[in-house]
Amino acid sequence: DGKEAKTVQEQNSEIMVKVMAALKEEKMNDNDIETTRFSLSPWEEWDPALQKSVNRGYKVQHTIQVTVSEIDAVGALLDVAVENGVNSVDNIAFMLSDAKEKEVKALLVHEASEQAKAKAENLADSLGISVGDVLYVTESSYGAGPWYYGAYDKTAMMEARAPTPISPENVKVSLQVNVDFEIE
């Protein structure tokens, strides 16, 4: 934040160049660092003494998303980003890679289909009938995340000597298979 838009934007640019260079020194690829939001806007605050909003200048918010496949590196990368000028981390999301999500869903479809057939056969048996051909099948998947790790405290990080510890939650994947069987 500051009095003049141009100055505020230039300061932010200097910081972000430094942050991105530092992340790249940590072996981050350009494709893994994305700008998700950039805003430059007037900054007003309520002045209780004057009982009105007062123009304080301008504020820049430049948000980047960093994608990391090695969970053990997250804490150290956060430290590097903060040491180089990042002053806010909103959240950390844990998700499966596209390949891993595809693999997990294929396994879940197979298991859910077997369970559907076993349940149908159990029901049919209890009714004294037989399960015939499959008439209709649907599959519903429920997202594999993201699972968020709360806000990041810059002050606590600066006092720490070891990389910021990050303990991810388990990523949950749910899938439902509905099968309509012909009965005989």
Side-chain angles (χ1 to χ4, degrees), residues 45-52 54 56:
E45 283 187 335
W46 181 257
D47 186 325
L50 297 174
Q51 291 294 304
K52 67 177 186 174
V54 177
R56 301 284 188 210

Side-chain angles (χ1 to χ4, degrees), residues 133-151:
D133 294 333
V134 172
L135 300 174
Y136 183 74
V137 178
T138 60
E139 176 259 320
S140 302
S141 298
Y142 305 99
W147 298 95
Y148 293 102
Y149 182 86

Side-chain angles (χ1 to χ4, degrees), residues 75-94:
L77 287 171
L78 277 171
D79 296 346
V80 165
V82 172
E83 287 166 4
N84 285 281
V86 167
N87 60 9
S88 176
V89 176
D90 294 328
N91 60 55
I92 300 171
F94 297 100

Side-chain angles (χ1 to χ4, degrees), residues 90-103:
D90 294 328
N91 60 55
I92 300 171
F94 297 100
M95 299 181 299
L96 298 177
S97 67
D98 291 342
K100 188 65 170 178
E101 185 173 353
K102 185 177 179 180
E103 176 188 326

Side-chain angles (χ1 to χ4, degrees), residues 15-28 33 64 66 73-87 89 152 154 157-158 162-164:
I15 292 168
M16 292 310 294
V17 165
K18 187 177 174 185
V19 167
M20 289 185 179
L23 289 172
K24 289 176 187 173
E25 284 180 22
E26 298 295 319
K27 309 290 188 263
M28 295 295 305
I33 305 169
I64 61 172
V66 178
V74 174
L77 287 171
L78 277 171
D79 296 346
V80 165
V82 172
E83 287 166 4
N84 285 281
V86 167
N87 60 9
V89 176
Y152 184 68
K154 180 178 178 178
M157 190 290 307
M158 295 307 236
T164 302

Side-chain angles (χ1 to χ4, degrees), residues 120-175:
E121 288 172 346
N122 188 28
L123 286 168
D125 187 50
S126 68
L127 295 170
I129 56 177
S130 299
V131 173
D133 294 333
V134 172
L135 300 174
Y136 183 74
V137 178
T138 60
E139 176 259 320
S140 302
S141 298
Y142 305 99
W147 298 95
Y148 293 102
Y149 182 86
Y152 184 68
D153 182 352
K154 180 178 178 178
T155 306
M157 190 290 307
M158 295 307 236
E159 295 171 358
R161 293 188 186 262
T164 302
I166 302 297
S167 300
E169 294 182 50
N170 290 326
V171 175
K172 296 172 178 66
V173 180
S174 298
L175 183 125

